[in-house]
Amino acid sequence: MSDDSTEQNGHENVPSRQRRRFEGISSRAYEHPADRSALVALRKLSGFDTVFKALSGLLPERSLRLLFLSDSVRVSDAQFAHLNAMLRDACHILDLEKVPPMYVNQDPQPNAMCIGLDEPIIVVTTGLVELLDEEEMRAVVGHEVGHALSGHAVYRTILLFLTNLALRVAWIPLGNIAIMAIVTALREWFRKSELSADRAGLLVGQDLKASMRGLMKLAGGNHLHEMNVDAFLAQAEEYEAGGDLRDSVLKILNTLPRTHPFTTVRAAELKKWAESRDFQRIMDGHYPRRSEDKDTSVGDSFRQSAASYASDVKNSKDPLMKLVGDIAGGAGDLGGRVRRGFGGFASGSPKDTGSSTKEAPPRDTDEHPDDETPNGNG
């Protein structure tokens, strides 16, 4: 790992301040466990890359490249030079040898994406460029370079293609259902890949406050003087823990059609990772290398993913996740918990409750006094 500002691998490193460089870093270092397990499995499939590249003739990739080339501004030393410096710097820090082409597209909606099968391209909108300051934009560029390093561009392109295909075959009931099932699974993976890319953006920018500011601006616009990071993160806490089971179901329904997690959730997840031992180890120079990727175990990756989801369920304050944890832990009186979780709309009388309590062995009441409290989540 290096802190210098020299030219290496053809990249001119010109950051506004010195940043750590992660030579040979594997994307596994920053990938969310659910994202990592899917990518490891796909990379292990024999001929996977060949099959998907063969699909390039069916996908609108060439059309997209021509569209951006003809109707957007390509970032270079001559155009948007400050973005070009950020891009080269990000590739230098994450040791991405080939710098992806980058375009600025006229669109007031703040957005950025990394797409492509053979070679990824990065696109940022004018709305985003005008919204963010230099350090905030650096984190976004690092986010997109993280997508490129992980190979997310390939799968995002496939997701876009399948989404468009689902719209075209919507009149075929079974065909649409099958495609939408794949799209739904891809969206769940892609939401986790966005958390991975947020981490990559932090490794590039190495400024958590700037990353937080950028996410706040995506949610509330260019009004930082009216916003507060702690209050913003408190929204994420309230979103997770608030409401009853009905709200939990609504959260799921609101999330399913999205490719990105909600902004407050992204901010909370990134802050949690920045305070973790995994992040500190990377900053200290201890991280998996790309040279070791071929030796990664699919089974180990899936176990880590499963452990991550289990930990999320166990530590979640969401009513539904707490109920799932109770079921997994074999907690008693789940029927009563469900009734209370949905606001007590189910029928029941004090007399029934009393007789139920009477039938239960007295020692159970003594040994498990917290089963009926909100904190009794196993």
Side-chain angles (χ1 to χ4, degrees), residues 6 113 174 238 254 274 314:
T6 60
M113 61 181 175
L174 293 180
E238 181 180 345
N254 287 339
K314 180 179 179 180

Side-chain angles (χ1 to χ4, degrees), residues 1-3 20-23 282-287 289:
M1 185 166 62
S2 172
D3 290 327
R20 291 179 176 85
R21 179 173 183 256
F22 309 102
E23 186 174 0
I282 295 174
M283 297 303 293
D284 291 340
H286 305 292
Y287 51 81
R289 263 65 175 180

Side-chain angles (χ1 to χ4, degrees), residues 85-121:
M86 290 181 194
L87 177 62
R88 289 180 173 275
D89 184 32
C91 291
H92 176 81
I93 290 174
L94 293 181
D95 199 14
L96 184 63
E97 185 172 353
K98 189 169 184 179
V99 179
M102 184 174 179
Y103 294 89
V104 176
N105 183 46
Q106 171 60 31
D107 187 343
Q109 182 72 25
N111 197 13
M113 61 181 175
C114 181
I115 57 174
L117 287 176
D118 293 319
E119 296 181 4
I121 62 174

